[in-house]
Amino acid sequence: MTRRQKSQPPQSATRHVSRRTLLQATLGCAASAISSNWFPAFAAETADKPRRPGACILLWMSGGPSQIDTFDPKPEHKNGGGRLSIETSVPGIRISENLPQVAKWMKRMAIVRSMSTKEGDHSRGTYVMRTGYRPQGPIQYPAIGALYSKELANEHADLPGYVSISPFRGFNASAYGPGFLGPRYAPLVVGNGGTVRVNGKPSSSLKVENLSLPGTVDVARHDDRLSILSGLEDDFSGSRPGNAVDGHRTAYKNAIRMMRSESIAAFELDGEPDALKQKYGLTEFGMGCLLARRLVERGVPFIEVSLNNAAGNGGSFGWDTHQENLDRVASLCQVLDPAWATLMEDLDERGLLDSTTIIWMGEFGRTPRINSNAGRDHFPAAWSSVLAGGGVKGGRIVGQTSPDGMKVVDRPVNAQDFLGTICGCLGIDSQAENISNVGRPISVVDPEAKPIQEVIA
């Protein structure tokens, strides 16, 4: 007889228990639990638990990655550019040869090959894909990192709910901000597209600035200064009450709490094994993915890691491959492939992959046709994005493009549909409303969105 069989009561014993006896027994257990302080602890723990899956990592490809050279290869067509496709861990699903390590994780991934949006400009495309709304009118829409972390974060946590690693905000800074949610939900920015240091300390460009007190200021003096600041803020907020003032004060309080918390050790990568760092790749993006895993371990619900470029490509939006597309995408994938695959493996080994949703996307795709400079230009009509990990039904392809890649022929998905799908994977109510800066309620995702139900686990 197994342990499970031994622990189960005989059926005859439960069959004859009356409802009154059962109720008395239940109340007795509850009373006992409350008197032993077990129930309040359990209730507090339950209240603090984020909803499923609990964390989201956005891998943001600045500049707009080529779908044909990543997740929608066309090796049989001249638009394929001569690149081959390779098998993945799911029979029948093939992706570009540029991503051999990522291909091994296809069982945990869903590729959307039918993204179709209307913005082919970097600024507007970035805004649409990162907020779900077009940039128009007076409403300041929040980035999805601010929106999702507001729904998922524990407000008593020492670390912020939204961390942005190496963002390139040159296309549209508003697409990275908290918008009408206010400074309380602004991202903590780690690194800012700084120089990658391969030799020496690769994590040095990813440290958080101003976490330590100035050398001439001790804690007591710092407390005195905070007390003066609090008095000034009391006077100001007394005459000008409002959400903006409250949000500003809350942001400062959260920053002080983080500075004095042991949780800031999450930003120190030096203790990680060298072999693991090598596996992620000694690049800013690789180290950013490692940092994202450490932040997920400490309960941060939304982290974004930007891949802005690869060594030798120049510029800060490397996926904008108007020239020499094939070589530049191959170079970028040499950074992306090991970092993303190792992130999946690392999360899985720690039991965190089922509770972490991973998104891969940029602001749009690239033209299937190769231009006279051996490059691919902006192309929002038919491109790819990927969902992976927790809350996602893996091993799937959504939608289809034509043999030449020029148009979507099945299941078109727009920005709102895709962001609504992410809400479904994370267990967030996409129609939850926030009051905007013009006093109008705005839902997390446009009510017209049609989430891709077949990939939501």
Side-chain angles (χ1 to χ4, degrees):
M1 180 178 290
T2 66
R3 180 178 296 178
R4 177 181 292 275
Q5 287 172 319
K6 285 181 179 178
S7 66
Q8 291 174 342
Q11 288 188 355
S12 59
T14 57
R15 187 175 298 159
H16 299 294
V17 175
S18 68
R19 293 178 61 188
R20 173 173 295 182
T21 303
L22 183 61
L23 179 60
Q24 289 173 337
T26 303
L27 291 175
C29 290
S32 175
I34 291 172
S35 63
S36 67
N37 292 326
W38 171 83
F39 189 84
F42 173 78
E45 180 185 352
T46 302
D48 286 342
K49 278 185 176 177
R51 282 170 288 181
R52 182 189 68 85
C56 181
I57 299 175
L58 167 60
L59 304 180
W60 178 257
M61 306 295 109
S62 183
S66 165
Q67 67 282 356
I68 287 183
D69 303 300
T70 52
F71 290 100
D72 192 11
K74 305 288 185 184
E76 306 299 327
H77 196 279
K78 65 177 182 180
N79 287 349
R83 288 291 183 198
L84 301 177
S85 65
I86 57 173
E87 292 281 0
T88 68
S89 59
V90 178
I93 296 182
R94 301 178 69 89
I95 63 174
S96 169
E97 62 177 333
N98 287 324
L99 299 169
Q101 296 188 56
V102 168
K104 298 174 183 176
W105 285 94
M106 194 51 57
K107 289 183 178 177
R108 302 301 308 268
M109 296 178 163
I111 302 173
V112 182
R113 285 181 172 166
S114 52
M115 293 295 299
S116 187
T117 51
K118 297 181 179 178
E119 302 292 352
D121 169 77
H122 286 298
S123 175
R124 295 180 66 84
T126 297
Y127 194 88
V128 166
M129 288 309 301
R130 294 181 58 88
T131 69
Y133 292 90
R134 302 176 77 174
Q136 57 187 0
I139 300 178
Q140 301 161 0
Y141 293 102
I144 57 173
L147 279 168
Y148 295 169
S149 63
K150 177 178 180 292
E151 299 297 321
L152 294 169
N154 176 353
E155 63 179 11
H156 302 298
D158 291 330
L159 296 177
Y162 174 19
V163 176
S164 182
I165 301 172
S166 302
F168 171 71
R169 293 172 286 186
F171 286 144
N172 194 324
S174 298
Y176 290 79
F180 57 68
L181 293 180
R184 180 182 304 183
Y185 301 99
L188 172 69
V189 175
V190 181
N192 202 11
T195 302
V196 179
R197 300 186 183 183
V198 177
N199 300 315
K201 293 184 177 180
S203 61
S204 58
S205 61
L206 293 178
K207 289 189 175 179
V208 183
E209 295 182 356
N210 302 320
L211 271 183
S212 303
L213 296 177
T216 57
V217 178
D218 58 19
V219 174
R221 191 173 179 186
H222 189 236
D223 284 341
D224 289 341
R225 291 181 175 183
L226 290 175
S227 179
I228 294 172
L229 174 63
S230 179
L232 293 172
E233 288 180 329
D234 286 343
D235 292 341
F236 186 85
S237 61
S239 59
R240 299 172 181 81
N243 292 334
V245 175
D246 291 343
H248 183 268
R249 298 193 70 173
T250 302
Y252 263 77
K253 288 179 180 177
N254 291 343
I256 299 300
R257 188 167 64 195
M258 182 180 69
M259 289 173 63
R260 299 183 175 183
S261 166
E262 295 180 354
S263 297
I264 60 172
F267 297 100
E268 298 294 337
L269 304 183
D270 293 342
E272 293 287 344
D274 288 341
L276 183 61
K277 291 179 184 175
Q278 293 279 354
K279 203 168 181 180
Y280 271 97
L282 295 179
T283 61
E284 188 165 289
F285 182 74
M287 293 300 94
C289 287
L290 174 57
L291 175 56
R293 186 223 79 203
R294 290 173 63 85
L295 294 173
V296 167
E297 284 182 307
R298 288 157 178 81
V300 177
F302 193 96
I303 308 107
E304 62 184 16
V305 190
S306 294
L307 176 49
N308 305 314
N309 217 329
N313 270 359
S316 297
F317 36 100
W319 294 98
D320 194 28
T321 51
H322 291 286
Q323 298 89 28
E324 301 175 347
N325 170 81
L326 293 180
D327 290 342
R328 292 178 63 186
V329 171
S331 176
L332 285 156
C333 285
Q334 289 174 8
V335 176
L336 171 67
D337 191 48
W340 187 358
T342 304
L343 175 63
M344 299 277 289
E345 180 182 347
D346 206 4
L347 288 170
D348 191 42
E349 289 180 348
R350 294 165 189 270
L352 294 170
L353 186 57
D354 288 341
S355 57
T356 305
T357 303
I358 299 173
I359 312 162
W360 179 88
M361 68 175 178
E363 60 264 40
F364 42 61
R366 314 298 304 183
T367 48
R369 292 181 184 137
I370 298 174
N371 64 27
S372 58
N373 294 317
R376 298 188 192 274
D377 302 316
H378 304 180
F379 195 65
W383 53 288
S384 299
S385 59
V386 179
L387 295 165
V392 178
K393 290 181 180 177
R396 292 165 183 263
I397 297 289
V398 175
Q400 183 181 352
T401 55
S402 54
D404 61 1
M406 291 300 293
K407 61 182 179 182
V408 172
V409 297
D410 179 47
R411 187 65 164 95
V413 175
N414 62 32
Q416 291 74 29
D417 300 338
F418 187 67
L419 300 186
T421 305
I422 299 170
C423 287
C425 295
L426 291 169
I428 293 174
D429 178 6
S430 65
Q431 296 309 298
E433 293 182 337
N434 296 289
I435 301 300
S436 70
N437 54 302
V438 298
R440 194 178 119 199
I442 303 289
S443 56
V444 174
V445 175
D446 190 298
E448 299 296 320
K450 300 178 182 62
I452 313 168
Q453 296 294 343
E454 58 267 36
V455 304
I456 300 174

